[in-house]
Amino acid sequence: MSYSWPRVSGVTGATTPDKAALGSWLPGFFALGAIWGSSFLFIKIGIREMHPVYVTLGRVGAGAITLLVVLAVLRDRLPRDPKLWLHTALYSAIGVALPFTLFGYGEQRVSSMLAGIWNATTPLVVLPLAVLVFRTERMTVRRGVGLGLGFVGVLVVLGVWQGLGGAQFTGQLFCLAAAACYGVAIPYQKRFVAGRAESGLSLSAAQLLMATAQLAIAAPLIAGAPPAPTRLSGEVIASVLALGALGTGLAFVINLRNIRVAGASTASTVTYVIPVFAVLIGVLALGEHLAWYQPVGAAIVLAGVAVSQGLFGRRRRPAVPAGMPPELTTSGRV
């Protein structure tokens, strides 16, 4: 699946060379996979003492501040077009506030590494919506095969032969719904925002600012008064700040550099690394366990994604990494 890549300091995904010395981009590539893969760990820790919606609010607020600092350092600025801000309001809600919160609800019921696996289904959700609703992509035999393969993988991850129901099944549905939100936001971004003159950094900062404002209004209505910082443990506070500053702020900068150095196609393959790190971190840090069929299903899902994106063919075109907000991935989240 291919996507338009917003301008980022004069470098685009279409023009950036895809070949570079491994040493110049590989460390950043794996660092990005580790940062985004660890996001599910930080969510798991955050929801121990905070409502999921407040974890999301703290996360996007910290991420917005981080990107505003980067904007100031680079002497860039936020968008000025009111129409663009209206689009930003919509895809901020669908692509940031809602999916981040849904992952929090999901991790109240499932392990962090299982949430990381569900995050990898995003490209499979994007495809039918991009074809049927937004009409930004065309269905081909290859994409249809990849979509079907990915659907089989989803059924395997769910373990449908064991029967459906219970808290874990509900948690998995929350995670799938979060991936579905990305599936709506990504083609929407391509249709109405991609190709703008503003830099990807500027668009991403605007998205996080808008999501912060939306959550600041919604959180008290959904979860009541916010928790007093003095009543939160240092571990929870650090996890929420890490989610924002690292997983939403620093990760953008690293991914932007990967695109510039290695090219969009190579940078996008971080999609396949994120669930690996999510599983490793879940096992090592939280002592979590997966049923045998869940990693098997994840492998089938990733194979379906690879087929649908043409990674087994001769040509590799830019693809959007799953797991982060659209602007954070296309220009440069979880």
Side-chain angles (χ1 to χ4, degrees), residues 23-274:
S24 65
W25 62 268
L26 200 59
F29 177 86
F30 282 107
L32 189 62
I35 290 172
W36 278 340
S38 66
S39 294
F40 303 98
L41 165 68
F42 294 138
I43 292 172
K44 194 72 171 180
I45 295 174
I47 60 175
R48 289 175 180 173
E49 301 175 16
M50 299 175 66
H51 191 282
V53 72
Y54 277 116
V55 173
T56 303
L57 175 57
R59 172 184 184 174
V60 298
I65 292 172
T66 301
L67 291 190
L68 286 176
V69 170
V70 177
L71 274 175
V73 171
L74 297 180
R75 297 183 179 179
D76 201 349
R77 66 181 185 180
L78 292 169
R80 302 298 179 89
D81 184 1
K83 185 177 180 180
L84 176 59
W85 278 99
L86 289 176
H87 285 301
T88 301
L90 182 57
Y91 68 78
S92 293
I94 300 173
V96 177
L98 189 55
F100 283 8
T101 303
L102 286 171
F103 270 121
Y105 278 114
E107 289 198 46
Q108 288 180 325
R109 298 162 176 83
V110 301
S111 66
S112 66
M113 51 188 180
L114 187 54
I117 288 174
W118 279 111
N119 186 70
T121 65
T122 296
L124 299 176
V125 181
V126 169
L127 179 55
L129 290 173
V131 172
L132 300 175
V133 179
F134 295 97
R135 300 187 183 278
T136 56
E137 302 287 344
R138 290 187 305 141
M139 182 60 73
T140 64
V141 173
R142 169 178 54 78
R143 287 173 170 173
V145 170
L147 188 63
L149 188 60
F151 180 71
V152 171
V154 167
L155 296 180
V156 174
V157 173
L158 285 172
V160 292
W161 59 86
Q162 300 185 78
L164 302 178
Q168 186 178 80
F169 178 70
T170 302
Q172 293 193 69
L173 290 183
F174 276 124
C175 294
L176 180 58
C181 288
Y182 293 142
V184 174
I186 290 172
Y188 181 92
Q189 181 269 340
K190 179 180 180 181
R191 178 75 178 271
F192 298 106
V193 180
R196 296 276 312 191
E198 293 85 356
S199 69
L201 176 61
S202 174
L203 294 172
S204 299
Q207 184 183 26
L208 291 179
L209 280 173
M210 185 62 71
T212 301
Q214 292 166 342
L215 286 162
I217 296 172
L221 300 177
I222 297 172
T230 55
R231 299 183 62 181
L232 299 174
S233 66
E235 184 182 39
V236 167
I237 294 174
S239 293
V240 174
L241 293 177
L243 272 171
L246 296 178
T248 311
L250 180 61
F252 169 83
V253 179
I254 295 174
N255 201 29
L256 172 58
R257 182 183 183 279
N258 289 347
I259 289 173
R260 287 172 170 167
V261 176
S265 297
T266 299
S268 72
T269 58
V270 73
T271 299
Y272 306 97
V273 178
I274 293 171

